[in-house]
Amino acid sequence: KEKIKEKENKYKNLFNSAPIGIVRTTSKGKAVKINKKMAEILGFESIEEVLKHYTDLFSDLFVNPERRKEFIRILKENENDEVKDFDYQAIKKDGSHIWLSMNAKITNYYQKFFVIDAFVFDITARKNREAKIREQKEELSASNQQLNAYNQELVAMNEELEQSFEEINLLNQRFVKMIELVSNMKDKTLISEKEFFADLLESAVEIIPEADY
């Protein structure tokens, strides 16, 4: 009896001094047993207070009760009666929400329910970091989209400027040719005004062929 009691005390000490949350619950949503670390994670000072507070884990502990139902379903369907890395949001004593992750296993079957033992980890800090990284990625993606749109506008403006420069250069070339045309024409004092404009028009057709004369 002394050895049995000694083992029980050793187990109890290990259970309550464990650095992670340990819980025993039922598939019906009742909390049967928890350790001190689990009470601390949920913001309570005593184990007894936790067991009184969470009378129905589906609604009292889980932010989304459907998530608890999914947890039970996965346990039932798993051939090893276990689930690993099951994440969910939980409600603390003060009503705030935290992220928890469970590794759980069915340990006993009864006629209308089964018992679940689980190790519970507080992953709130990790989830917050992941959310921050996602937010930064979204901001970076939005900035990249704006930058791409700005670059496309610059490309379009450059193309318009290049086209304008080409048009200006063409006009300059034609202007020079017109000056040369007038300079190379016969002395207009020796020909009539009609002959002058006829010669000018004939030469202009060669310089500006697309004009509507």
Side-chain angles (χ1 to χ4, degrees), residues 72-80:
I72 298 300
R73 178 185 60 78
I74 294 173
L75 276 172
K76 287 180 178 179
E77 294 177 355
N78 186 275
E79 60 181 9
N80 295 319

Side-chain angles (χ1 to χ4, degrees), residues 58 62 64-78 82-83 86-88 102 114:
F58 287 91
F62 280 69
N64 180 8
E66 293 299 319
R67 191 67 176 147
R68 174 73 183 185
K69 293 179 182 178
E70 184 179 359
F71 169 68
I72 298 300
R73 178 185 60 78
I74 294 173
L75 276 172
K76 287 180 178 179
E77 294 177 355
N78 186 275
E82 63 183 9
V83 61
F86 185 87
D87 298 349
Y88 63 98
M102 282 196 301
F114 52 85

Side-chain angles (χ1 to χ4, degrees), residues 96-146:
S96 62
H97 297 172
I98 58 172
W99 278 99
L100 300 179
S101 181
M102 282 196 301
N103 292 335
K105 186 176 180 61
I106 299 174
T107 53
N108 281 301
Y109 279 97
Y110 294 90
Q111 188 174 359
K112 295 183 179 181
F113 66 93
F114 52 85
V115 176
I116 309 160
D117 285 345
F119 295 124
V120 184
F121 307 87
D122 185 352
I123 58 170
T124 305
R126 191 191 79 192
K127 286 289 187 178
N128 289 340
R129 287 194 300 270
E130 291 174 352
K132 185 66 176 178
I133 291 173
R134 283 196 302 271
E135 182 181 343
Q136 291 174 342
K137 285 182 177 179
E138 290 173 358
E139 291 176 354
L140 182 60
S141 177
S143 298
N144 286 336
Q145 290 177 359
Q146 292 178 350

Side-chain angles (χ1 to χ4, degrees), residues 5 49 84 102 109 173 195:
K5 188 175 181 180
E49 191 179 3
K84 294 182 179 180
M102 282 196 301
Y109 279 97
Q173 292 176 2
E195 290 175 327

Side-chain angles (χ1 to χ4, degrees), residues 170-187:
L170 179 59
L171 288 174
N172 286 335
Q173 292 176 2
R174 288 176 174 176
F175 180 75
V176 170
K177 287 183 179 181
M178 290 296 292
I179 297 297
E180 292 177 350
L181 169 64
V182 175
S183 299
N184 294 333
M185 289 182 66
K186 297 176 182 179
D187 188 349

